[in-house]
Amino acid sequence: MESSSAAAARRRADLISQGQSAYSAAIRLVESLPSTSLDADELDDLEQVPSAELRTLDGQLTILAGMMRERLSDPGHELGRERVVELSETLHAVHQVRFSIHDLLGHERLRRMDQLDRELARLRRITDQDELLEKVCESAAAGGGFDRLMLSRVEDDTWRPWRSYSAHVGPDERAFVDWIREVPKIRLSHMLLESEVVRRREPGLVADASADSRVYQPLATAAAQTSYVVAPLIAGDRVIGLLHADLRGHDVVELDRDILWFYAVGFAQIFERAVLLGRLRDQRAEVMRVMQTVEAVLDDLATSEIDLATREETTALAVSRPLRPVVSDRQAVLEGLLTSRELEVLTLMATGATNERIAQRLVIAVGTVKSHVKQILRKLRVENRAEAISQYLRLTIGARED
């Protein structure tokens, strides 16, 4: 079964052939008209060879159609009946081809944009960045109507091919995958198209890889590329990646460049959202673990037995009933750095206790507490109490999970 991209390429080729035939017939007729009122320079400016690109060909046909209309309506130069009929029929044929070109370009653009929207809508349901990276190449091929996609990373002044997808698997595709695995980082020199894409943050198109000096030839050779498009992936104010795409057996056109660009913009937004959601999930889990640890410490404080005694007697009892720490294998890291007394001080610090409160609880002088705090900061290599507490919680919050 013929793929949509192949069918579109075939329709485009048929229409180019029709347009070139109409153009050749029209220009021969215009040049053969006797005593033409048209400026000779205008005729000289016409391309004798019609374009193989639809939009350019449409422009050429537009010029010829205008010249034929002027010739038909010029009262100063009467034409014979046969010439009028010939001009009218040729003008009609040119208009038919132009209408077909506009119809094809308009419908093809709408069809591919609709296909692209459906694919991006499917990706929006994915919130895991690793899964998105696994699917991006195949997704871009499906959504953009391409036969092959390559994803590259951009880091500082280099880019590196990273992953690829091809709708057709054969020796050439397998060799290309091997090349991607082995290729080193490629410097973004000012002569490369990719450098221009990164600098301008705009997509690019290569019509003929063998004749374009901006092409990175090792890539074109490994991929057997003759024509391709490339678009940047932008996150925030940085280009973080590149998407390359091509068609099997057909040259890419401006519409292919635009479609890949629309996909790159949509995917970059989806990927950025997934990264932010992942970070939020991690932060939420971290906060929940911190709250559980604090809850355990406060619960230990709140459920301690209360005796009918003075404060001095109560603090004396605390010495014989030490604070129950949160048990975790990871706490061994702290135990290897701190003395048991320093660990007790740090545990109380994590509850928000002041130096005075810690001194009362451990029945030691406030100055001694300050000395312990100073040693704790030095051993943990932190600047203040908040950083010490944060490090303590990171090393103990996994206790319940463990």
Side-chain angles (χ1 to χ4, degrees):
M1 184 177 178
E2 188 177 36
S3 67
S4 58
S5 59
R10 179 178 53 78
R11 289 195 298 271
R12 185 182 290 267
D14 291 343
L15 195 51
I16 288 174
S17 178
Q18 294 174 28
Q20 290 175 335
S21 297
Y23 182 85
S24 299
I27 201 169
R28 283 196 302 269
L29 177 59
V30 169
E31 290 177 336
S32 69
L33 292 175
S35 304
T36 178
S37 62
L38 297 171
D39 190 342
D41 292 338
E42 190 173 356
L43 276 173
D44 292 339
D45 290 340
L46 279 175
E47 295 285 347
Q48 295 299 314
V49 178
S51 174
E53 201 281 316
L54 276 182
R55 292 190 184 278
T56 305
L57 179 59
D58 180 49
Q60 292 176 328
L61 291 173
T62 300
I63 295 172
L64 270 177
M67 296 172 69
M68 287 187 287
R69 282 196 304 270
E70 287 185 16
R71 192 68 183 89
L72 284 169
S73 60
D74 187 355
H77 296 81
E78 293 186 5
L79 298 172
R81 182 176 180 278
E82 291 184 0
R83 283 296 195 182
V84 170
V85 171
E86 189 176 6
L87 267 173
S88 299
E89 289 179 345
T90 304
L91 182 60
H92 175 69
V94 167
H95 280 312
Q96 276 192 318
V97 172
R98 291 193 63 220
F99 177 80
S100 297
I101 290 175
H102 295 170
D103 183 65
L104 173 68
L105 293 177
H107 280 79
E108 185 179 355
R109 189 179 188 88
L110 289 174
R111 177 188 64 78
R112 293 182 67 178
M113 288 298 294
D114 184 58
Q115 181 177 325
L116 185 70
D117 286 340
R118 288 197 301 270
E119 184 60 28
L120 289 174
R122 187 182 70 84
L123 284 186
R124 289 188 185 97
R125 295 193 290 268
I126 302 174
T127 58
D128 180 78
Q129 68 186 82
D130 291 340
E131 185 177 355
L132 284 172
L133 290 174
E134 288 292 335
K135 294 180 179 296
V136 57
C137 290
E138 184 175 356
S139 169
F146 299 104
D147 292 323
R148 181 168 52 182
L149 261 295
M150 182 181 75
L151 172 67
S152 301
R153 285 172 164 170
V154 173
E155 300 170 352
D156 299 324
D157 60 346
T158 62
W159 65 284
R160 181 171 187 173
W162 187 23
R163 299 180 179 184
S164 68
Y165 167 80
S166 177
H168 310 277
V169 179
D172 291 342
E173 285 69 29
R174 285 191 287 270
F176 181 57
V177 171
D178 292 338
W179 180 82
I180 289 178
R181 292 196 187 104
E182 298 173 2
V183 67
K185 290 183 178 180
I186 304 166
R187 189 168 185 81
L188 286 168
S189 70
H190 68 281
M191 299 178 63
L192 288 180
L193 172 64
E194 286 76 13
S195 179
E196 184 178 326
V197 168
V198 171
R199 185 178 68 257
R200 295 184 177 182
R201 301 184 185 184
E202 295 177 351
L205 183 151
V206 171
D208 184 356
S210 62
D212 196 327
S213 61
R214 303 171 302 164
V215 171
Y216 183 67
Q217 287 302 328
L219 169 62
T221 301
Q225 288 176 323
T226 57
S227 176
Y228 64 91
V229 289
V230 55
L233 291 171
I234 303 173
D237 59 351
R238 293 175 52 242
V239 174
I240 60 174
L242 296 170
L243 284 176
H244 287 72
D246 60 11
L247 297 171
R248 186 182 178 91
H250 303 287
D251 290 337
V252 295
V253 295
E254 291 181 357
L255 178 58
D256 296 310
R257 179 197 61 196
D258 296 342
I259 291 294
L260 184 65
W261 177 226
F262 295 147
Y263 180 89
V265 171
F267 177 81
Q269 293 173 347
I270 293 170
F271 183 73
E272 190 170 5
R273 184 195 64 165
V275 171
L276 293 176
L277 286 175
R279 291 175 181 174
L280 287 174
R281 285 193 297 266
D282 293 342
Q283 288 298 317
R284 181 179 182 276
E286 182 80 5
V287 170
M288 292 299 296
R289 288 194 293 267
V290 169
M291 294 302 296
Q292 289 171 353
T293 301
V294 172
E295 180 185 4
V297 174
L298 293 177
D299 182 64
D300 184 74
L301 293 173
T303 57
S304 298
E305 294 180 358
I306 297 176
D307 297 313
L308 189 62
T310 64
R311 179 187 289 271
E312 182 178 354
E313 292 171 332
T314 299
T315 54
L317 286 172
V319 177
S320 61
R321 187 172 59 242
L323 189 69
R324 174 174 57 88
V326 177
V327 179
S328 170
D329 290 341
R330 282 178 273 182
Q331 191 165 343
V333 176
L334 288 174
E335 292 175 350
L337 292 173
L338 308 177
T339 66
S340 59
R341 177 62 81 184
E342 289 168 348
L343 188 55
E344 288 178 327
V345 171
L346 181 56
T347 302
L348 287 170
M349 284 169 57
T351 68
T354 63
N355 288 348
E356 184 178 354
R357 176 60 181 151
I358 295 172
Q360 292 173 352
R361 182 66 189 272
L362 299 180
V363 196
I364 56 178
V366 174
T368 304
V369 174
K370 291 181 180 179
S371 177
H372 285 317
V373 171
K374 184 177 180 180
Q375 290 299 317
I376 290 169
L377 299 183
R378 182 183 64 80
K379 291 180 179 180
L380 295 183
R381 297 181 181 180
V382 295
E383 297 293 331
N384 51 51
R385 295 170 70 99
E387 292 182 10
I389 292 171
S390 175
Q391 192 166 134
Y392 168 79
L393 293 176
R394 281 198 298 270
L395 291 169
T396 60
I397 54 181
R400 291 177 182 270
E401 293 181 356
D402 293 341

